[in-house]
Amino acid sequence: MNVTLLAIAGGIIILGLASYAGYLLLQLKKQKQLQQQHQTLAIQKRNANIFDSVNTLCLAGIQGQCDLSEISIRVYNIMDYVQGEDRVDFDQEFPATSELYHIVKDMPRGEERQNMVKKERMQHNLMRHKAETRLNDAIIDELKALQQRVQPLNNQINIQLI
């Protein structure tokens, strides 16, 4: 009788611990789903901010408010930070902008450019100007296409804790 009573008590304890372990696993699963949702929303919000900046840069390039070489550097670099499904293979999808970026990316800018010898600075200007002139129409078309592509994705996402 004592053995039967101990076996029943042991079974009840094991059943209780198994139920509690199942409950904890269910809570862990819910927590992971919630973390995934928050991560997805954070990526969408970050991408929306990036797309807002890209939209502004495209508009400046289309309207001629900034050099195309400067636009290509900024857009190429900022689009590298896009995450998730919205990521763009810039070299393949926007070849003219990518080509101009690769031509001017290593050229000195700002104070470093001012410290260059005048002849070397003029050579860089000539090379940059030739590339901008040759790729001008294609880059403007690509900027319009990129602007259309990021505009519908540029929605502000409010993240609320659940």
Side-chain angles (χ1 to χ4, degrees):
M1 174 107 171
N2 285 341
V3 174
T4 309
L5 192 58
L6 287 176
I8 291 173
I12 291 173
I13 290 173
I14 290 174
L15 183 64
L17 289 174
S19 298
Y20 185 63
Y23 169 76
L24 290 177
L25 285 174
L26 184 63
Q27 291 297 96
L28 182 63
K29 182 179 177 183
K30 286 180 182 179
Q31 183 180 15
K32 285 184 178 183
Q33 287 175 342
L34 189 60
Q35 285 175 341
Q36 183 63 36
Q37 286 177 332
H38 281 286
Q39 183 179 12
T40 302
L41 287 173
I43 287 172
Q44 289 175 347
K45 184 172 174 79
R46 179 180 176 176
N47 286 350
N49 289 336
I50 290 171
F51 293 149
D52 185 41
S53 297
V54 168
N55 187 33
T56 303
L57 288 170
C58 288
L59 189 60
I62 292 167
Q63 293 176 350
Q65 297 175 356
C66 188
D67 291 337
L68 291 180
S69 57
E70 188 67 27
I71 293 292
S72 69
I73 290 171
R74 291 175 186 265
V75 169
Y76 190 95
N77 286 328
I78 198 169
M79 287 298 288
D80 193 37
Y81 290 103
V82 174
Q83 294 177 317
E85 297 172 3
D86 299 327
R87 191 151 176 82
V88 175
D89 182 8
F90 221 83
D91 292 329
Q92 188 172 2
E93 295 186 39
F94 302 102
T97 306
S98 177
E99 181 181 347
L100 183 59
Y101 167 76
H102 289 295
I103 290 171
V104 299
K105 71 178 179 179
D106 294 325
M107 290 183 182
R109 296 175 15 187
E111 189 175 317
E112 186 180 333
R113 183 176 183 278
Q114 295 299 323
N115 294 334
M116 289 174 56
V117 178
K118 185 174 182 177
K119 183 178 181 181
E120 190 177 344
R121 188 172 48 217
M122 295 302 282
Q123 288 174 341
H124 283 234
N125 281 348
L126 181 63
M127 186 171 30
R128 180 181 53 82
H129 185 67
K130 281 182 181 180
E132 281 181 358
T133 304
R134 178 174 52 87
L135 298 168
N136 183 41
D137 293 337
I139 290 175
I140 296 295
D141 291 341
E142 287 180 0
L143 289 176
K144 288 177 182 177
L146 180 60
Q147 187 180 31
Q148 290 299 322
R149 181 173 177 170
V150 300
Q151 205 164 14
L153 300 173
N154 184 16
N155 51 0
Q156 294 299 321
I157 300 166
N158 294 323
I159 296 180
Q160 299 175 349
L161 295 177
I162 296 173

